[in-house]
Coordinates of all heavy atoms in Angstrom, one line a residue:
M1 N 124.3 96.4 170.6 CA 123.8 96.1 169.3 C 124.6 95.0 168.6 O 125.8 95.3 168.3 CB 123.6 97.4 168.5 CG 124.0 97.4 167.1 SD 124.0 99.1 166.5 CE 125.0 98.8 165.0
L2 N 124.1 93.8 168.5 CA 124.7 92.7 167.9 C 126.1 92.3 168.5 O 126.9 91.6 167.9 CB 125.0 92.9 166.4 CG 123.8 93.2 165.5 CD1 124.2 93.6 164.1 CD2 122.9 91.9 165.4
G3 N 126.2 92.7 169.8 CA 127.5 92.4 170.5 C 128.7 93.1 170.0 O 129.8 92.7 170.3
L4 N 128.5 94.1 169.2 CA 129.7 94.8 168.6 C 129.7 96.2 169.1 O 128.9 97.0 168.7 CB 129.5 94.8 167.1 CG 130.8 94.9 166.3 CD1 131.7 93.7 166.5 CD2 130.5 95.0 164.8
S5 N 130.6 96.5 170.0 CA 130.7 97.9 170.5 C 131.5 98.8 169.5 O 132.1 98.3 168.6 CB 131.4 97.9 171.9 OG 132.7 97.6 171.7
L6 N 131.4 100.1 169.8 CA 132.1 101.0 168.9 C 133.6 100.9 169.0 O 134.3 101.0 168.0 CB 131.7 102.5 169.3 CG 132.1 103.6 168.4 CD1 131.5 103.5 167.0 CD2 131.9 104.9 169.0
G7 N 134.0 100.5 170.2 CA 135.5 100.3 170.4 C 136.0 99.1 169.6 O 137.0 99.2 168.9
K8 N 135.2 98.0 169.6 CA 135.6 96.8 168.8 C 135.6 97.1 167.4 O 136.5 96.7 166.6 CB 134.7 95.6 169.2 CG 135.0 95.0 170.5 CD 134.0 93.8 170.7 CE 134.2 93.2 172.0 NZ 133.2 92.2 172.3
L9 N 134.6 97.8 166.9 CA 134.5 98.2 165.5 C 135.6 99.0 165.1 O 136.3 98.8 164.0 CB 133.2 98.9 165.3 CG 132.7 99.1 163.8 CD1 132.4 97.7 163.2 CD2 131.5 100.0 163.7
L10 N 136.0 100.0 165.9 CA 137.1 100.9 165.6 C 138.4 100.2 165.5 O 139.2 100.4 164.6 CB 137.1 102.0 166.6 CG 137.6 103.4 166.2 CD1 136.5 104.0 165.2 CD2 137.7 104.4 167.3
F11 N 138.6 99.2 166.5 CA 139.8 98.4 166.6 C 139.9 97.6 165.3 O 141.0 97.5 164.7 CB 139.8 97.6 167.8 CG 141.0 96.7 168.0 CD1 142.2 97.2 168.3 CD2 140.9 95.3 167.7 CE1 143.3 96.4 168.4 CE2 142.0 94.5 167.8 CZ 143.2 95.0 168.1
T12 N 138.8 97.0 164.9 CA 138.9 96.1 163.7 C 139.2 96.9 162.5 O 140.0 96.5 161.6 CB 137.5 95.5 163.5 OG1 137.1 94.8 164.7 CG2 137.5 94.5 162.3
I13 N 138.7 98.1 162.3 CA 139.0 99.0 161.2 C 140.4 99.4 161.2 O 141.1 99.4 160.2 CB 138.0 100.3 161.2 CG1 136.6 99.8 160.9 CG2 138.5 101.3 160.2 CD1 135.6 100.9 161.1
I14 N 141.0 99.7 162.4 CA 142.4 100.1 162.5 C 143.3 99.0 162.1 O 144.3 99.1 161.4 CB 142.7 100.6 163.9 CG1 142.0 102.0 164.1 CG2 144.2 100.7 164.2 CD1 142.0 102.5 165.5
V15 N 143.0 97.7 162.6 CA 143.8 96.6 162.3 C 143.8 96.3 160.8 O 144.8 96.1 160.1 CB 143.3 95.3 163.1 CG1 143.9 94.1 162.5 CG2 143.7 95.5 164.5
V16 N 142.6 96.3 160.2 CA 142.5 96.1 158.7 C 143.2 97.2 157.9 O 144.0 96.8 157.0 CB 141.0 96.1 158.3 CG1 140.8 96.1 156.8 CG2 140.3 94.8 158.8
A17 N 143.1 98.4 158.3 CA 143.8 99.5 157.7 C 145.3 99.3 157.8 O 146.1 99.5 156.9 CB 143.4 100.8 158.2
A18 N 145.8 98.9 159.0 CA 147.2 98.7 159.2 C 147.8 97.6 158.4 O 148.8 97.7 157.8 CB 147.5 98.4 160.7
V19 N 147.0 96.5 158.2 CA 147.5 95.4 157.4 C 147.5 95.8 155.9 O 148.5 95.6 155.2 CB 146.5 94.2 157.6 CG1 146.8 93.1 156.5 CG2 146.7 93.6 159.0
F20 N 146.5 96.6 155.5 CA 146.4 97.0 154.1 C 147.5 97.9 153.7 O 148.2 97.7 152.8 CB 145.0 97.7 153.9 CG 144.9 98.3 152.5 CD1 144.7 97.5 151.4 CD2 145.0 99.7 152.3 CE1 144.6 98.0 150.1 CE2 144.9 100.2 151.0 CZ 144.7 99.4 149.9
F21 N 147.8 99.0 154.6 CA 148.8 99.9 154.3 C 150.2 99.3 154.5 O 151.2 99.6 153.8 CB 148.7 101.2 155.1 CG 147.5 102.0 154.6 CD1 146.4 102.2 155.3 CD2 147.6 102.7 153.3 CE1 145.3 103.0 154.9 CE2 146.6 103.4 152.9 CZ 145.4 103.6 153.6
G22 N 150.3 98.3 155.4 CA 151.6 97.6 155.6 C 151.9 96.8 154.4 O 153.0 96.7 153.9
W23 N 150.9 96.1 153.8 CA 151.1 95.3 152.6 C 151.5 96.2 151.4 O 152.4 95.8 150.7 CB 149.8 94.6 152.3 CG 149.9 93.7 151.1 CD1 149.5 94.0 149.8 CD2 150.4 92.4 151.0 NE1 149.7 93.0 149.0 CE2 150.3 92.0 149.7 CE3 151.0 91.5 151.9 CZ2 150.8 90.7 149.2 CZ3 151.4 90.3 151.5 CH2 151.3 89.9 150.2
K24 N 150.8 97.3 151.3 CA 151.2 98.2 150.2 C 152.6 98.7 150.3 O 153.3 98.8 149.4 CB 150.2 99.5 150.3 CG 149.1 99.4 149.2 CD 148.2 100.6 149.4 CE 148.7 101.8 148.6 NZ 147.7 102.9 148.5
W25 N 153.0 99.1 151.6 CA 154.4 99.6 151.8 C 155.4 98.5 151.5 O 156.4 98.8 150.9 CB 154.5 100.1 153.3 CG 155.8 100.6 153.6 CD1 156.4 101.8 153.4 CD2 156.9 99.8 154.3 NE1 157.6 101.8 153.9 CE2 158.0 100.6 154.4 CE3 156.9 98.5 154.8 CZ2 159.2 100.2 155.0 CZ3 158.1 98.1 155.4 CH2 159.2 99.0 155.5
L26 N 155.1 97.3 151.9 CA 156.0 96.2 151.7 C 156.2 95.9 150.2 O 157.3 95.7 149.7 CB 155.5 94.9 152.4 CG 156.5 93.9 152.9 CD1 157.3 94.4 154.1 CD2 155.9 92.6 153.2
S27 N 155.1 95.9 149.4 CA 155.2 95.6 148.0 C 155.9 96.7 147.3 O 156.7 96.5 146.3 CB 153.8 95.3 147.4 OG 153.0 96.3 147.8
R28 N 155.7 98.0 147.8 CA 156.4 99.1 147.2 C 157.9 99.0 147.4 O 158.8 99.2 146.6 CB 155.9 100.4 147.7 CG 156.4 101.6 146.9 CD 155.6 102.9 147.1 NE 154.6 102.9 148.1 CZ 154.7 103.6 149.3 NH1 155.8 104.4 149.4 NH2 153.8 103.6 150.2
M29 N 158.3 98.6 148.7 CA 159.7 98.4 149.0 C 160.4 97.3 148.2 O 161.5 97.5 147.7 CB 159.9 98.1 150.5 CG 159.6 99.2 151.5 SD 160.9 100.4 151.3 CE 160.0 101.9 151.0
Q30 N 159.6 96.2 148.0 CA 160.2 95.1 147.2 C 160.3 95.6 145.7 O 161.3 95.2 145.0 CB 159.2 93.9 147.2 CG 159.4 93.1 148.5 CD 158.4 92.0 148.6 OE1 157.4 91.9 148.0 NE2 158.7 91.0 149.5
A31 N 159.4 96.4 145.2 CA 159.5 96.9 143.8 C 160.7 97.8 143.7 O 161.4 97.8 142.7 CB 158.2 97.6 143.4
V32 N 161.0 98.6 144.7 CA 162.1 99.5 144.6 C 163.4 98.7 144.7 O 164.4 99.0 144.0 CB 162.0 100.6 145.8 CG1 163.4 101.3 146.0 CG2 160.9 101.6 145.6
R33 N 163.5 97.7 145.6 CA 164.7 96.9 145.8 C 164.9 96.1 144.5 O 166.0 95.9 144.1 CB 164.5 96.1 147.0 CG 165.8 96.0 147.8 CD 165.7 95.1 149.0 NE 164.7 95.7 150.0 CZ 164.1 95.0 150.9 NH1 164.2 93.7 151.0 NH2 163.2 95.6 151.7
G34 N 163.8 95.5 144.0 CA 164.0 94.6 142.8 C 164.1 95.4 141.5 O 164.5 94.9 140.5
G35 N 163.9 96.7 141.5 CA 163.9 97.5 140.3 C 165.3 97.8 139.8 O 165.6 97.7 138.6
A36 N 166.3 98.0 140.8 CA 167.6 98.4 140.4 C 168.4 97.3 139.6 O 168.9 97.5 138.6 CB 168.4 98.8 141.6
P37 N 168.4 96.0 140.1 CA 169.1 95.0 139.4 C 168.5 94.7 138.0 O 169.2 94.4 137.1 CB 168.9 93.7 140.3 CG 168.6 94.3 141.6 CD 167.9 95.5 141.4
R38 N 167.1 94.8 137.9 CA 166.5 94.6 136.6 C 167.0 95.6 135.6 O 167.3 95.3 134.5 CB 165.0 94.7 136.8 CG 164.2 93.9 135.7 CD 162.7 94.1 135.9 NE 162.3 93.7 137.2 CZ 161.3 94.4 137.9 NH1 160.8 95.5 137.3 NH2 161.0 94.1 139.1
R39 N 167.2 96.9 136.1 CA 167.7 98.0 135.2 C 169.1 97.6 134.7 O 169.5 97.8 133.6 CB 167.6 99.3 135.9 CG 167.1 100.4 135.0 CD 166.9 101.7 135.8 NE 165.8 101.6 136.8 CZ 165.9 102.0 138.1 NH1 167.0 102.6 138.5 NH2 164.9 101.9 138.9
V40 N 169.9 97.1 135.7 CA 171.3 96.8 135.3 C 171.3 95.6 134.3 O 172.1 95.6 133.4 CB 172.1 96.4 136.6 CG1 173.4 95.7 136.3 CG2 172.3 97.6 137.5
R41 N 170.5 94.6 134.5 CA 170.4 93.5 133.6 C 170.0 93.9 132.2 O 170.6 93.5 131.2 CB 169.4 92.4 134.1 CG 169.8 91.0 133.6 CD 168.8 90.0 134.1 NE 168.4 90.1 135.5 CZ 167.2 90.2 135.9 NH1 166.2 90.1 135.1 NH2 166.9 90.3 137.2
E42 N 169.0 94.9 132.1 CA 168.6 95.4 130.8 C 169.8 96.1 130.1 O 170.0 96.0 128.9 CB 167.4 96.3 131.0 CG 166.1 95.6 131.2 CD 165.0 96.5 131.7 OE1 165.2 97.8 131.7 OE2 164.0 96.0 132.1
K43 N 170.6 96.8 130.9 CA 171.7 97.5 130.4 C 172.8 96.5 129.8 O 173.4 96.7 128.8 CB 172.4 98.4 131.5 CG 173.2 99.5 131.0 CD 173.7 100.4 132.2 CE 174.5 101.5 131.7 NZ 175.0 102.3 132.9
A44 N 173.0 95.4 130.6 CA 174.0 94.4 130.1 C 173.5 93.6 128.9 O 174.3 93.2 128.1 CB 174.2 93.4 131.3
D45 N 172.2 93.5 128.7 CA 171.7 92.7 127.6 C 171.6 93.6 126.3 O 171.3 93.0 125.3 CB 170.2 92.2 127.9 CG 170.3 91.1 128.9 OD1 171.4 90.5 129.1 OD2 169.2 90.8 129.5
R46 N 172.0 94.8 126.4 CA 171.9 95.7 125.2 C 172.9 95.2 124.2 O 174.1 95.0 124.5 CB 172.3 97.1 125.6 CG 171.6 98.2 124.7 CD 171.8 99.6 125.2 NE 171.2 99.8 126.5 CZ 171.6 100.9 127.3 NH1 172.5 101.7 126.9 NH2 170.9 101.0 128.4
P47 N 172.4 94.9 122.9 CA 173.3 94.3 121.9 C 174.5 95.2 121.5 O 175.5 94.7 121.0 CB 172.4 94.0 120.8 CG 171.2 94.9 121.0 CD 171.1 95.1 122.5
S48 N 174.3 96.5 121.6 CA 175.3 97.5 121.1 C 176.6 97.5 122.1 O 177.6 97.9 121.7 CB 174.8 98.9 121.0 OG 174.4 99.3 122.3
A49 N 176.4 97.0 123.3 CA 177.5 97.0 124.3 C 178.5 96.0 123.9 O 178.2 94.9 123.6 CB 177.0 96.7 125.7
P50 N 179.8 96.4 123.8 CA 180.9 95.4 123.5 C 181.1 94.4 124.6 O 180.9 94.8 125.8 CB 182.1 96.3 123.3 CG 181.8 97.5 124.1 CD 180.3 97.7 124.1
P51 N 181.5 93.2 124.3 CA 181.8 92.2 125.4 C 182.9 92.7 126.2 O 183.9 93.3 125.8 CB 182.1 90.9 124.6 CG 182.5 91.4 123.3 CD 181.8 92.7 123.0
A52 N 182.8 92.4 127.5 CA 183.9 92.8 128.5 C 185.2 92.1 128.2 O 186.2 92.7 128.3 CB 183.4 92.6 129.9
V53 N 185.1 90.8 127.9 CA 186.3 90.0 127.7 C 186.1 89.2 126.4 O 185.1 88.6 126.2 CB 186.5 89.0 128.9 CG1 187.7 88.1 128.6 CG2 186.6 89.7 130.2
E54 N 187.1 89.3 125.5 CA 187.0 88.5 124.3 C 187.4 87.1 124.5 O 188.3 86.8 125.3 CB 188.0 89.2 123.2 CG 187.3 90.3 122.5 CD 188.2 90.8 121.3 OE1 188.7 89.9 120.6 OE2 188.4 92.0 121.2
A55 N 186.7 86.2 123.8 CA 187.0 84.8 123.9 C 188.3 84.4 123.2 O 188.5 85.0 122.1 CB 185.8 83.9 123.4
V56 N 189.0 83.5 123.7 CA 190.3 83.1 123.1 C 190.2 81.6 122.9 O 189.8 80.9 123.8 CB 191.5 83.5 124.1 CG1 192.8 83.0 123.5 CG2 191.5 85.0 124.3
D57 N 190.6 81.2 121.7 CA 190.7 79.8 121.4 C 191.8 79.1 122.2 O 192.9 79.7 122.3 CB 190.9 79.6 119.9 CG 189.7 79.9 119.1 OD1 188.6 79.7 119.6 OD2 189.8 80.3 117.9
M58 N 191.5 77.9 122.7 CA 192.5 77.2 123.5 C 192.9 75.9 122.8 O 192.0 75.3 122.2 CB 192.0 76.9 124.9 CG 191.5 78.1 125.7 SD 192.8 79.2 126.2 CE 193.4 78.4 127.7
V59 N 194.1 75.5 122.9 CA 194.6 74.2 122.3 C 195.3 73.4 123.4 O 195.9 74.0 124.2 CB 195.5 74.4 121.1 CG1 194.7 75.0 119.9 CG2 196.7 75.3 121.4
A60 N 195.2 72.1 123.3 CA 195.8 71.3 124.3 C 197.3 71.0 123.9 O 197.6 70.8 122.8 CB 195.1 69.9 124.4
C61 N 198.1 71.1 124.9 CA 199.5 70.8 124.7 C 199.7 69.3 124.5 O 199.2 68.5 125.3 CB 200.4 71.3 125.9 SG 202.1 70.8 125.8
P62 N 200.3 68.9 123.4 CA 200.4 67.4 123.1 C 201.3 66.7 124.2 O 201.2 65.5 124.3 CB 201.0 67.3 121.7 CG 201.6 68.6 121.5 CD 200.9 69.6 122.3
V63 N 202.1 67.4 124.9 CA 203.0 66.8 125.9 C 202.3 66.6 127.2 O 202.2 65.5 127.8 CB 204.3 67.6 126.0 CG1 205.2 67.0 127.1 CG2 205.0 67.6 124.7
C64 N 201.8 67.8 127.8 CA 201.3 67.7 129.2 C 199.8 67.7 129.2 O 199.2 67.4 130.2 CB 201.8 68.9 130.0 SG 201.4 70.5 129.3
G65 N 199.1 68.1 128.1 CA 197.7 68.1 128.0 C 197.1 69.4 128.6 O 195.8 69.5 128.5
D66 N 197.9 70.3 129.0 CA 197.3 71.6 129.5 C 196.8 72.4 128.3 O 197.4 72.4 127.2 CB 198.4 72.4 130.2 CG 198.7 72.0 131.6 OD1 197.9 71.1 132.1 OD2 199.6 72.5 132.3
Y67 N 195.7 73.1 128.6 CA 195.2 74.0 127.5 C 195.8 75.3 127.6 O 195.9 76.0 128.7 CB 193.6 74.1 127.7 CG 192.9 72.9 127.1 CD1 192.8 71.8 127.8 CD2 192.5 73.0 125.8 CE1 192.1 70.7 127.3 CE2 191.8 71.9 125.2 CZ 191.7 70.7 126.0 OH 191.1 69.6 125.4
V68 N 196.4 75.8 126.4 CA 197.1 77.0 126.3 C 196.4 77.8 125.2 O 195.8 77.3 124.3 CB 198.6 76.8 126.0 CG1 199.3 76.2 127.2 CG2 198.8 76.0 124.8
P69 N 196.5 79.2 125.2 CA 195.9 80.0 124.1 C 196.6 79.6 122.8 O 197.8 79.4 122.7 CB 196.3 81.4 124.5 CG 196.6 81.4 126.0 CD 197.1 80.0 126.2
A70 N 195.8 79.5 121.7 CA 196.3 79.1 120.4 C 197.3 80.1 119.9 O 198.3 79.8 119.3 CB 195.1 79.0 119.4
K71 N 197.0 81.4 120.2 CA 198.0 82.5 119.8 C 198.8 82.9 121.0 O 198.2 83.1 122.1 CB 197.2 83.7 119.3 CG 196.6 83.5 117.9 CD 195.9 84.7 117.4 CE 195.3 84.5 116.0 NZ 194.5 85.6 115.6
G72 N 200.1 82.9 120.9 CA 200.9 83.3 122.0 C 201.1 82.2 123.0 O 201.3 82.6 124.2
A73 N 201.0 81.0 122.6 CA 201.3 79.9 123.6 C 202.7 79.8 124.0 O 203.6 80.0 123.2 CB 200.8 78.6 123.0
R74 N 202.9 79.5 125.3 CA 204.3 79.4 125.8 C 204.6 78.0 126.2 O 203.7 77.3 126.7 CB 204.6 80.4 126.9 CG 205.0 81.8 126.3 CD 205.4 82.7 127.4 NE 204.3 83.5 127.8 CZ 204.2 84.2 129.0 NH1 205.3 84.1 129.8 NH2 203.2 84.9 129.3
S75 N 205.9 77.6 126.2 CA 206.2 76.2 126.6 C 205.9 76.0 128.1 O 206.0 76.9 128.9 CB 207.7 76.1 126.4 OG 208.2 74.8 126.9
C76 N 205.5 74.7 128.3 CA 205.2 74.4 129.7 C 206.5 74.0 130.5 O 206.4 73.8 131.7 CB 204.2 73.2 129.7 SG 204.8 71.8 128.9
G77 N 207.6 73.9 129.8 CA 208.9 73.5 130.4 C 209.3 72.1 130.3 O 210.4 71.7 130.5
R78 N 208.3 71.2 129.9 CA 208.6 69.8 129.7 C 209.3 69.6 128.4 O 209.1 70.4 127.4 CB 207.4 69.0 129.8 CG 206.8 68.9 131.2 CD 205.5 68.1 131.1 NE 204.9 67.9 132.5 CZ 204.1 68.8 133.1 NH1 203.8 69.9 132.4 NH2 203.7 68.6 134.3
S79 N 210.2 68.6 128.3 CA 210.9 68.4 127.0 C 209.9 67.9 126.0 O 209.0 67.1 126.3 CB 212.0 67.3 127.2 OG 211.4 66.1 127.7
G80 N 210.1 68.4 124.8 CA 209.2 68.0 123.7 C 208.0 68.9 123.5 O 207.2 68.7 122.6
C81 N 207.9 70.0 124.3 CA 206.8 70.9 124.2 C 207.0 71.7 122.9 O 208.0 72.3 122.7 CB 206.7 71.8 125.4 SG 205.2 72.8 125.5
P82 N 206.0 71.7 122.0 CA 206.2 72.4 120.7 C 206.1 73.9 120.8 O 206.4 74.6 119.8 CB 205.0 71.8 119.9 CG 203.9 71.5 120.9 CD 204.6 71.1 122.2
Y83 N 205.8 74.4 121.9 CA 205.6 75.9 122.0 C 206.9 76.6 122.4 O 207.7 76.0 123.2 CB 204.5 76.3 123.0 CG 203.2 75.6 122.5 CD1 202.6 74.6 123.3 CD2 202.5 76.0 121.3 CE1 201.4 74.0 122.9 CE2 201.4 75.3 120.9 CZ 200.8 74.4 121.7 OH 199.7 73.7 121.3
P84 N 207.2 77.8 121.9 CA 208.4 78.5 122.3 C 208.4 79.1 123.7 O 207.3 79.3 124.2 CB 208.5 79.6 121.2 CG 207.1 79.9 120.9 CD 206.3 78.6 121.0
G85 N 209.5 79.3 124.2 CA 209.5 80.0 125.5 C 210.3 79.1 126.5 O 210.3 79.4 127.7
Ligands
LIG1 ZN1 203.1 71.4 127.6

């Protein structure tokens, strides 16, 4: 009947079902894998969380040009360096 045997029909149904469930499984795996980093990012974006490292102002040494912390700067060793140490 119409050149379609029961075996071919069954094979087609099995192939379509395998592709459908394979696609569903793959998208579920990607959601599980992509879900964890998103949760971490949301945690990091929380405004109440304190910053891990505080920013420090830097100033350029007038002698060598190296940037040193404005507070607690130490001498670079060259003569004329205004910082102690
Ligand atoms: Zn210097």
Side-chain angles (χ1 to χ4, degrees):
M1 133 190 165
L2 299 172
L4 205 65
S5 72
L6 189 66
K8 282 180 184 173
L9 193 68
L10 215 65
F11 177 76
T12 305
I13 289 169
I14 288 169
V15 166
V16 168
V19 167
F20 175 75
F21 286 110
W23 179 264
K24 257 177 87 172
W25 178 81
L26 208 73
S27 50
R28 188 160 15 108
M29 284 293 128
Q30 282 177 340
V32 165
R33 219 178 298 154
R38 206 180 307 139
R39 225 174 291 134
V40 168
R41 207 181 316 127
E42 284 166 8
K43 203 176 180 181
D45 288 344
R46 211 175 292 163
S48 62
V53 178
E54 276 190 46
V56 177
D57 286 328
M58 304 291 277
V59 290
C61 172
V63 175
C64 61
D66 279 356
Y67 278 85
V68 293
K71 287 180 181 176
R74 273 187 268 162
S75 173
C76 59
R78 289 179 175 86
S79 60
C81 190
Y83 304 112

